[in-house]
Amino acid sequence: MVIIPNKTKVPIGRVLKDGALAAWPICLGYIPIGLAFGVLAQKAGLHPFAIGMMSLFVFAGSSQFIALSMLAAGAAPLAIILTAFTVNLRHFLMSSSLAMYMGQTSKKRLSLFAYGVTDESFAVNLFRFRQGGWDVKRALTVNHIANIAWVASTLMGGYGGELIPERALGIDYALNSMFICLLVFQLRGKKYVITAVLSGGIAVLLALVLPGNSYVVLASIIAATLAVYLGRKGAQS
């Protein structure tokens, strides 16, 4: 199905206002997480400028936390890139779902839009598109207001981290606890729990025989493949 976009010209002020109103709940969620990421990244040895550039070019919270953890563990650049790529594969599906609402949008604008797609902006824009009265300009505004909030909050966290002493407030445990929280929020059913347990078990086994951090990527791929296979097997029986 192809959605025909509304050709009615809307004042830019109205577009920005509508986009900002839709984006503010996303920003409220990004700011505390961005501050936490900035502090942790600074403690891991990144300069605030590097933190800002990472947020600007990657713009993916979960991938940035994973990359930070792997950087702190001394992982190879290729392992970090492959892991981030694997974690972000879901963006193909999200972008495909939004593509039907893009109409005749230019490639430049599409690229700008695709850069800003995150889990949160995807959910907001898809809901608004389905409701009607929403267009690419408003969706683009949502994406990039959220982007500004993320980059700014991680930068502030990076500079704020310089004022926090090493190991103060249990900050060294924060990264591990953040990953535990991210995992728990993804456990939305039995198959997710099985996948997480499989992934952890395989990672431990592979870590015993493989050098470096490549076991992280391999364990994720093997566990995800097994989960898909078991899911299809269960659906057929």
Side-chain angles (χ1 to χ4, degrees):
M1 179 176 65
V2 177
I3 307 298
I4 305 300
N6 186 359
K7 295 290 186 181
T8 305
K9 191 169 180 62
V10 181
I12 187 65
R14 175 69 183 278
V15 170
L16 294 175
K17 181 183 177 183
D18 290 348
L21 287 173
W24 75 264
I26 301 175
C27 298
L28 286 182
Y30 278 3
I31 290 170
I33 299 174
L35 288 170
F37 173 79
V39 171
L40 292 171
Q42 195 277 331
K43 295 303 173 196
L46 295 185
H47 187 275
F49 179 76
I51 296 169
M53 289 297 102
M54 185 181 187
S55 297
L56 185 64
F57 288 114
V58 180
F59 188 33
S62 54
S63 294
Q64 287 182 234
F65 275 107
I66 291 169
L68 180 63
S69 173
M70 295 180 75
L71 277 171
L78 182 61
I80 296 173
I81 292 169
L82 285 176
T83 304
F85 177 75
T86 306
V87 169
N88 283 332
L89 279 176
R90 68 189 187 285
H91 286 206
F92 282 112
L93 298 176
M94 291 192 290
S95 298
S96 299
S97 299
L98 291 171
M100 67 174 71
Y101 301 101
M102 296 296 107
Q104 300 300 316
T105 306
S106 68
K107 289 183 179 178
K108 287 182 181 177
R109 186 171 288 179
L110 274 179
S111 300
L112 197 59
F113 180 81
Y115 157 75
V117 173
T118 62
D119 297 318
E120 296 76 15
S121 64
F122 165 75
V124 168
N125 281 324
L126 187 64
F127 176 74
R128 298 279 179 157
F129 275 128
R130 286 175 174 171
Q131 274 194 322
W134 200 246
D135 55 30
V136 178
K137 291 179 181 176
R138 290 180 172 90
L140 199 59
T141 305
V142 169
N143 288 7
H144 290 283
I145 287 179
N147 176 251
I148 292 169
W150 174 253
V151 175
S153 58
T154 56
L155 259 178
M156 286 190 287
Y159 283 108
E162 295 178 344
L163 307 175
I164 301 175
E166 289 290 338
R167 298 186 179 278
L169 309 173
I171 204 77
D172 53 331
Y173 180 67
L175 191 57
N176 293 332
S177 60
M178 178 70 73
F179 279 121
I180 292 170
C181 289
L182 289 173
L183 175 63
V184 169
F185 286 134
Q186 298 301 317
L187 301 179
R188 289 167 291 178
K190 189 178 175 182
K191 64 180 180 181
Y192 296 93
V193 175
I194 293 172
T195 306
V197 172
L198 276 175
S199 185
I202 294 169
V204 171
L205 291 176
L206 290 178
L208 298 174
V209 294
L210 293 178
N213 299 88
S214 56
Y215 66 88
V216 176
V217 179
L218 285 174
S220 303
I221 294 172
I222 293 171
T225 306
L226 282 174
V228 171
Y229 174 75
L230 292 175
R232 288 181 178 176
K233 201 76 175 173
Q236 291 171 355
S237 59

